[in-house]
Amino acid sequence: MSHRSIHWFRKGLRLHDNPALLAAFENSSNVWPIFILDPWFIKNAQVGVNRWRFLLQSLQDLDEKLKKLNSRLFVIRGNPNEVLLQLFKEWKVTRLTFEVDTEPYAKQRDIEVEELAKKHNVEVVKCVSHTLYDVQKTIETNGGKPPLTYQRLQTLLAKMGPPPKPVKTLDSSAVMGNKTTVSEDHNKKYGVPTLADLGKSPEACGPLLFPGGETEGFNRLERMLKKTNWICTFEKPKTEPNSLIPSTTVLSPYLKFGCLSVRTFYYRLQEVYLQNKKHTQPPVSLHGQLLWREFFYTAGAGTPNFDKMEGNPICIQIPWEKNDKHLEAWANGRTGYPFIDAVMTQLRREGWIHHLARHAVACFLTRGDLWISWEEGQKVFEEHLLDADWSINAGNWMWLSASSFFYQYFRVYNPISFGKKTDKNGDYIRKYLPILSKFPEKYIYEPRTAPRDIQAKAGCIIGKDYPPPILDHDKMRPINIKRMAEAYGKRFDSGQDNKNGGSLKKKQSASEDGDEAPKKKVKKFRNKKMTDFLM
DNA sequence: GGACGGGTTGGAGGT
DNA sequence: AACCTCCAACCCGTC
């Protein structure tokens, strides 16, 4: 039986550990690896120019690799349904293969495509390879609902056994039977477009720090794997948000597009762990980070309206306020808080910021300072992050805004002191906000407090060359904590109220903990880590 | 993967 | 030797 197969790349832009791609080449006389530039994404998804570049580079890399296997990538623009219908007829296709995608738009799209395929007698082969596990299976194992705590996920996964091993990389032996010829005008008809072809300006891109593609992803992975001691002692909370060289792997953009298989990543780490007796554990270890990804993917796949507050059953409803001026100041790095502004500048320019930097700016936008909805922040991250990943982005925004998963809303990041802990001299601020670079260390985190003559000497007058703070963090913090307490339906305590018997919250926790001695209970609470506070 | 203030402790160094 | 001050480092409760 000889198939004529299309492999449809969407995510999973790689030849390694790509079971659906392998399936396309099985018993096939002809295979067409395609990528569809779906106008939906151009219209509805916020994709900044840096991520466009990353995607196009990834496609370019794919095409290069396929060339070496006497194949090519066929890039086609248009609505997937229309494109595929056309191709089914034109190429007399009998089989369509693709990787399972769990995002809402993709799920709906794939249902429609499957119907179309069925109607045209095209066999569909779908494989799970973007996540460690089949998230639907994880949800089923949990009784039909996604696990909403990390602990719960770990318990489930332990029950389910280790994730599937990566499959073999597509190689010349696998493609041997492929007779698909490449026309002379392939580049013109099916070539990978340039940014300019898409109406994007290459000049708008930032410096090319993280080139897209499987090759780059693999090189990056290999460089990391050499640092075995670093891997075995890795603890995410101890990595620095404002080091000038990333303190984490920056493999997330490659995972997002599937240039790097998460299972390959997982098992390569496993090898390093096995060679060393001691290594850190989830949630802080590198394996732990992949489980966080799995956690949010699973939650995102099993929760309606996961990227919204309204209609989202796991999201606490908080009366955020609209303030376009503040939102714009935040998004463009003009809040007057240098650390916040430096992070947002790095985000817009380079497309990647450290996890804890994301924490700080997300807290600032939402429950910490500006009291603006996390959905607004989500959009800005969606546009600018190279690793913008639907489930992970939404999940972390809910986390940081204490809307779901994490509920310690009184843990507010201080936009002045947080960055100082790991960068006293403010080198990070000096790099991303050069206008502030000449301020002495004493004033770099709050230049407005510098005397006028020092501002003049630094060549930066606050109010003229750099904005004063758009609001006063010390004033807003208690106000916002009170608002959060109200949204949580809990009484806010002033000092006096405390003397009169304490808060509702305290009473609740006391009754929950029952017979435990108060002192011991407190200590237990203190020793817990942030991740232990999950419901 | 908070910040902060108030309290305690314990070592260095001075009287 | 005994006893002080100072201060950093930690503990702990609070928001």
Side-chain angles (χ1 to χ4, degrees), chain A residues 332-361:
Chain A
N332 291 295
R334 285 197 296 269
T335 66
Y337 286 93
F339 178 64
I340 300 296
D341 294 344
V343 172
M344 294 306 288
T345 303
Q346 185 188 18
L347 169 64
R348 301 180 77 92
R349 191 180 301 161
E350 300 177 358
W352 181 88
I353 51 178
H354 185 274
H355 184 65
L356 295 182
R358 301 180 197 203
H359 278 212
V361 297

Side-chain angles (χ1 to χ4, degrees), chain A residues 127-231:
Chain A
C127 302
V128 172
S129 49
H130 189 65
T131 43
L132 286 171
Y133 295 79
D134 179 345
V135 299
Q136 286 309 331
K137 212 181 271 174
T138 308
I139 291 169
E140 277 165 35
T141 310
N142 194 44
K145 283 188 168 180
L148 294 178
T149 70
Y150 193 87
Q151 187 63 54
R152 179 75 196 144
L153 179 76
Q154 279 187 290
T155 309
L156 278 174
L157 298 188
K159 217 191 298 178
M160 293 169 74
K165 290 259 168 67
V167 300
K168 67 166 191 170
T169 302
L170 186 80
D171 58 13
S172 50
S173 70
V175 304
M176 235 161 35
N178 183 26
K179 294 193 192 71
T180 302
T181 52
V182 175
S183 65
E184 270 177 31
D185 60 351
H186 181 93
N187 285 343
K188 203 176 148 207
K189 266 177 92 177
Y190 300 116
V192 177
T194 64
L195 278 172
D197 293 339
L198 296 176
K200 309 282 167 190
S201 154
E203 299 84 53
C205 288
L208 184 56
L209 302 178
F210 315 108
E214 181 179 20
T215 306
E216 287 289 340
F218 245 100
N219 288 344
R220 204 169 178 87
L221 176 71
E222 293 298 342
R223 285 201 295 277
M224 182 207 70
L225 287 167
K226 286 193 184 124
K227 303 189 284 179
T228 55
N229 185 54
W230 183 81
I231 289 169

Side-chain angles (χ1 to χ4, degrees), chain A residues 255-271:
Chain A
L255 290 174
K256 179 245 151 68
F257 284 102
C259 300
L260 172 63
S261 153
V262 66
R263 292 170 180 172
T264 301
F265 191 174
Y266 181 92
Y267 279 105
R268 293 299 300 274
L269 283 173
Q270 181 92 300
E271 285 169 27

